[in-house]
Amino acid sequence: MAKSCLLVLICCLLLNPICAGEKVIKDEEGMDCWVYFPDEIDSGKTYWLVVGVHGLGGKGKGASGVAKWVTQEGDCIVIGPSFNDGYQMGNGKNADKLKRLFKDLKKEYKLHDRMFVHGFSAGAQFVHRFAFNEPNLIAGVSAHSAGSWATRGYGKISLRAKKIPFAISCGEKDTGKSYESAPLGRLAWFKEFRDELDKKKFDVESAVVPGVKHRQSPKARELAKNCYARAKAAFSK
């Protein structure tokens, strides 16, 4: 009997990652949200919620590359929500869905009152605009290679978010437009947004990544980690 149970457990671990700190829950729209958590939850510890938002047409599995932070950092619960196209503005029903997920997860885990948000491409569009719309819910923003930024009427930079650390980047060769009628290509729009944040004296670390086209680079992941550390320092109680 013991050997049989052990074999079942081994198969479960090999074939179903839900047994190793991953589970899938349904959000209010019936879409999948991946939740990543430590194997052992310390009941006396307050965890950070880290949200990784996928690119256009994607799903939440892997949380845009930050799912591994659960073991690397040891102080967070990570989620990868799923969105239908149209989520890029970071408002409306998509913003409400993320807020609801945060509220529901706080019933299950002991979480800080602010979340850290990370996204690439369309996910970067969502997270930086969501932060400007809901600054009181955000500890830090990691946004990379967005097709548009909160300038030129595509959202608005809110000064209420000035205390929030930002990490932003774009590849040097990521110069194309994300859609035909876009006023600027990705790199040019990134630079404009970066300069606006600098002008308004936001806490921002940025980079144009040499030789990189439209992909999430190691430099972007490094900036994300740095921003997470800054966010924790800024908002730890």
Side-chain angles (χ1 to χ4, degrees):
M1 179 65 72
K3 287 183 179 180
S4 176
C5 290
L6 181 58
L7 286 173
V8 169
L9 177 60
I10 290 171
C11 289
C12 183
L13 290 172
L14 290 174
L15 300 176
N16 187 353
I18 291 176
C19 296
E22 174 188 303
K23 65 182 178 181
V24 180
I25 61 176
K26 295 290 184 181
D27 63 31
E28 60 193 45
E29 295 182 301
M31 299 183 73
D32 290 337
C33 175
W34 278 260
V35 183
Y36 302 91
F37 49 91
D39 288 329
E40 294 186 13
I41 299 292
D42 184 346
S43 60
K45 185 175 182 177
T46 302
Y47 291 85
W48 293 96
L49 183 67
V50 173
V51 182
V53 181
H54 61 79
L56 188 63
K59 297 295 179 186
K61 186 172 179 61
S64 193
V66 297
K68 63 187 73 171
W69 286 17
V70 167
T71 53
Q72 291 177 348
E73 298 293 326
D75 59 2
C76 58
I77 308 295
V78 176
I79 65 169
S82 297
F83 296 100
N84 288 318
D85 189 18
Y87 65 104
Q88 293 93 323
M89 292 305 293
N91 58 10
K93 67 176 184 178
N94 298 297
D96 290 342
K97 178 163 77 171
L98 180 54
K99 289 189 287 185
R100 173 65 67 181
L101 284 167
F102 189 25
K103 183 177 179 180
D104 289 346
L105 287 164
K106 288 183 80 170
K107 297 174 183 176
E108 185 173 356
Y109 305 104
K110 187 178 179 183
L111 298 174
H112 289 281
D113 291 331
R114 291 173 178 263
M115 65 183 104
F116 183 88
V117 290
H118 167 81
F120 169 77
S121 194
Q125 293 188 54
F126 176 90
V127 299
H128 86 278
R129 293 188 178 105
F130 180 81
F132 290 140
N133 294 332
E134 302 287 348
N136 293 333
L137 291 179
I138 303 299
V141 179
S142 171
H144 307 277
S145 305
S148 69
W149 297 90
T151 60
R152 298 177 178 254
Y154 290 78
K156 185 178 179 181
I157 296 173
S158 172
L159 297 181
R160 295 186 301 141
K162 280 187 72 172
K163 293 181 180 179
I164 298 170
F166 279 72
I168 59 175
S169 73
C170 187
E172 178 189 32
K173 295 185 177 181
D174 194 4
T175 57
K177 293 183 177 183
S178 61
Y179 55 98
E180 189 175 347
S181 61
L184 294 171
R186 287 191 184 90
L187 180 60
W189 210 336
F190 160 79
K191 289 180 177 178
E192 179 180 85
F193 178 69
R194 174 200 63 192
D195 292 347
E196 284 298 311
L197 291 187
D198 286 341
K199 204 181 302 180
K200 290 176 168 57
K201 301 188 184 305
F202 271 71
D203 176 7
V204 57
E205 184 181 9
S206 65
V208 173
V209 188
V212 170
K213 295 182 180 180
H214 190 60
R215 64 179 177 85
Q216 191 166 186
S217 66
K219 181 62 178 179
R221 292 190 284 271
E222 176 190 326
L223 289 172
K225 283 284 190 79
N226 291 345
C227 188
Y228 183 54
R230 285 157 48 221
K232 290 187 290 185
F235 292 107
S236 291
K237 293 179 180 179

